[in-house]
Amino acid sequence: MNQYVGHMDAVDHARAQWAEGRPDVDTTGMEVVARLMRLASLVGRRHDDALAGHGLTTGEFEVLAALRRVDRPLRAREVATLTSSPGATSTKRLDRLADAGLVERRTFERDRRGVLVTLSEAGRALVDEVFPQHAARELALLTDLSADERARLAALLARVLATAERA
């Protein structure tokens, strides 16, 4: 039984089933990783549903948010790097956002091969409207944790993420 929520969750059930069928396999990693994956899926669906109401996908919002955070024009490849997206995916998102009037592209005057991307006024207004809602959804998931617990969890997850990124 899960000691934190007082009942067995889906991960506890899966581990119990594995313990019966394959008691030789250590499934303690599932306690964290399977829960992270399930949480990511649930949060992702909530974000997707909320963003769809604004005509955006999560990936498109990530592009707009990256441009808003840095608050300067970016090369298309910088957008791909900031959003951890393959170049082709980033290009497709930028095409859709440009068609929607949310970003503007311009070529470098000197070299005409490079493209700079910037938020349009409509894109900036949309991010400024949507981002506080996005942040509030994430914070709402953490209301059962104290500020200290949130900080410890964030630090631990940062360590796990660093390990995963090095692998």
Side-chain angles (χ1 to χ4, degrees):
M1 179 156 63
N2 186 313
Q3 64 181 331
Y4 300 106
V5 293
H7 71 281
M8 288 185 67
D9 64 15
V11 175
D12 292 323
H13 286 290
R15 289 190 69 224
Q17 291 165 339
W18 280 118
E20 282 186 33
R22 289 296 309 267
D24 58 311
V25 177
D26 183 355
T27 63
T28 56
M30 289 177 68
E31 290 180 304
V32 174
V33 176
R35 284 188 176 101
L36 285 173
M37 292 176 66
R38 184 163 168 75
L39 181 59
S41 176
L42 293 169
V43 171
R45 276 186 286 189
R46 286 182 185 164
H47 283 325
D48 288 345
D49 291 346
L51 292 169
H54 296 280
L56 294 172
T57 65
T58 297
E60 292 163 352
F61 176 73
E62 288 172 358
V63 169
L64 296 174
L67 288 165
R68 179 68 174 96
R69 282 193 319 268
V70 299
D71 204 25
R72 65 175 172 78
L74 294 174
R75 290 181 171 88
R77 72 176 177 268
E78 290 177 296
V79 173
T81 299
L82 284 173
T83 60
S84 300
S85 301
T89 300
S90 185
T91 298
K92 187 176 183 179
R93 289 174 182 159
L94 288 170
D95 287 345
R96 183 167 166 346
L97 293 168
D99 290 345
L102 299 173
V103 299
E104 298 167 353
R105 291 179 177 161
R106 65 178 191 264
T107 55
F108 290 112
E109 292 175 15
R110 283 180 274 137
D111 163 330
R112 302 211 42 90
R113 288 177 295 165
V115 174
L116 281 178
V117 181
T118 188
L119 280 177
S120 67
E121 286 303 316
R124 177 182 283 278
L126 183 58
V127 173
D128 286 348
E129 175 189 345
V130 172
F131 178 67
Q133 300 163 7
H134 186 84
R137 271 190 308 280
E138 292 176 347
L139 189 57
L141 294 170
L142 304 173
T143 57
D144 288 344
L145 301 178
S146 69
D148 183 57
E149 288 171 326
R150 287 192 306 265
R152 284 191 320 223
L153 178 60
L156 291 170
L157 290 173
R159 286 175 51 195
V160 174
L161 180 59
T163 298
E165 288 177 337
R166 283 192 306 267

